[in-house]
Amino acid sequence: MLRGIATMLGSGASNQVGAAVGAHAFGTLGPAGVVAVRQFVAAAVLWSVARPKLRRFTWAQWWPTLLLGLVFGTMNLSLYTAIDRIGLGLAVTLEFLGPLAVALAGSRTRFDLLCAAGACLGVYVLVLPGPASDYLGVGLGLLAAACWAAYILLNRVAGARLPGLAAPAAATLVSATLYLPVAVTLVVRGHLDGTAILYAVVAGILSSVVPYAADLVALRRVPARLFGVFMSVHPVLAALAGTAILGQLLKLHEWIGIAVIVLTNAVAVHAASTSRNPAVARGGEGREVAGRPGERLLPSHGVPDRAGHHDGERYEAADEGQQMPRLESAHGGRP
């Protein structure tokens, strides 16, 4: 259990350190340039592993994949631009509202309404709207949250219709293709710098590849519910990474806002995993789904999958007859 917790902590730290490292390249590449490099890295890794047969895709498989690729690109660009404007801790915390919204969507229970109210209160305390507030940065963080919510819903569809890693590999390739004009523009303008490219590549590895491998290991060592609740620590890790690596010191009200949102998310995930899965609540053998709030283990068509995360790619375990819990990894890391 302790090894599993250490692995989860390492995964979360890698995710947010990668985002902070990528921010060092903003001055040269801009947020769009950093996202482009990260998409290329994620696409290369996923494509080499999955090798999806695109010619065999039907339209029912293509449309969620195409939308997922568009969401990948929009989510990462809005998040990185928000990081550039309001800082890593605030941006990741706002983005975290996406999975929380999915967890609470459609619920009419008083408890879930209280969780939603708690999240709204946390956002207000976090931002403390005023004349000096960067509303564009806050809006971009909320856009990233909306994209994360859409990512979860689209992943459910694409993961059910495509085997293995085919969906995330194809979607990441679509996203990388959309960013080719950004790469061409950087080349034409002579903005490519070896150090900046290295920062962006390192960000892709730390925020995509490392969390993917670490989360798969962690899920073999800790209960799925614990994994889901532990994802709530990502905004805190983002704030610490922003402070240590980028020198982005948070004010007291920002720390309080982050704490309220993290606590609300953890409580909502815990309550959802116990109330919606009676077997787990009774200590039985039913399995809940870890990762992003509200995610459940859906009936598997062969093999279930896993989203990688910070950088958002979905993975599937491939041992015949053996299922792994589906997880939607958290934040700052996506393809």
Side-chain angles (χ1 to χ4, degrees):
M1 177 70 76
L2 290 179
R3 288 184 179 180
I5 293 175
T7 302
M8 289 190 296
L9 185 60
S11 172
S14 174
N15 214 332
Q16 304 309 331
V17 167
V21 170
H24 280 300
F26 286 170
T28 303
L29 303 179
V34 175
V35 172
V37 175
R38 287 190 58 176
Q39 296 302 97
F40 298 153
V41 171
V45 172
L46 279 176
W47 191 266
S48 63
V49 172
R51 299 186 182 279
K53 299 177 181 179
L54 301 181
R55 294 182 179 179
R56 297 185 180 180
F57 279 24
T58 65
W59 175 242
Q61 295 169 328
W62 262 121
W63 74 257
T65 301
L66 292 173
L67 288 179
L68 194 58
L70 180 62
V71 166
F72 280 172
T74 306
M75 178 168 54
N76 287 303
L77 180 59
S78 56
L79 175 64
Y80 266 55
T81 307
I83 291 173
D84 192 31
R85 298 183 66 93
I86 62 176
L88 180 61
L90 272 66
V92 171
T93 303
L94 290 173
E95 187 200 28
F96 217 73
L97 295 174
L100 178 58
V102 172
L104 299 177
S107 174
R108 292 183 175 86
T109 66
R110 292 182 179 179
F111 179 80
D112 285 344
L113 291 177
L114 286 175
C115 286
C120 292
L121 175 62
V123 172
Y124 180 82
V125 174
L126 178 69
V127 177
L128 282 185
S133 299
D134 189 334
Y135 291 106
L136 178 57
V138 172
L140 288 168
L142 294 176
L143 175 59
C147 288
W148 195 349
Y151 155 79
I152 293 173
L153 301 177
L154 287 169
N155 250 339
R156 290 175 175 173
V157 177
R161 297 181 180 180
L162 287 166
L165 295 172
T172 308
L173 182 64
V174 169
S175 182
T177 302
L178 293 176
Y179 276 92
L180 283 176
V182 176
V184 172
T185 301
L186 290 174
V187 172
V188 171
R189 294 182 177 179
H191 287 178
L192 291 184
D193 175 79
T195 302
I197 294 294
L198 179 60
Y199 280 141
V201 170
V202 169
I205 294 173
L206 292 181
S207 294
S208 297
V209 181
V210 172
Y212 158 54
D215 289 348
L216 288 180
V217 172
L219 279 170
R220 297 188 180 102
R221 299 179 181 273
V222 301
R225 181 171 56 186
L226 174 60
F227 189 100
V229 173
F230 191 87
M231 290 297 99
S232 302
V233 80
H234 275 255
V236 176
L237 295 175
L240 294 175
T243 299
I245 299 176
L246 301 175
Q248 298 172 345
L249 300 178
L250 298 184
K251 299 176 182 178
L252 177 60
H253 73 87
E254 293 171 333
W255 279 111
I256 294 175
I258 289 175
V260 171
I261 293 174
V262 165
L263 180 61
T264 300
N265 185 78
V267 170
V269 172
H270 179 78
S273 64
T274 54
S275 65
R276 299 178 187 177
N277 195 333
V280 173
R282 295 193 305 267
E285 295 182 357
R287 290 181 299 162
E288 77 228 86
V289 170
R292 308 207 177 186
E295 283 299 278
R296 318 244 36 95
L297 185 60
L298 303 181
S300 173
H301 298 272
V303 234
D305 35 17
R306 173 233 186 247
H309 349 258
H310 30 21
D311 216 24
E313 52 271 10
R314 178 173 235 75
Y315 301 85
E316 297 189 8
D319 291 336
E320 183 175 353
Q322 182 180 11
Q323 294 185 344
M324 289 191 63
R326 172 176 300 171
L327 88 93
E328 311 286 352
S329 84
H331 127 21
R334 279 166 287 285

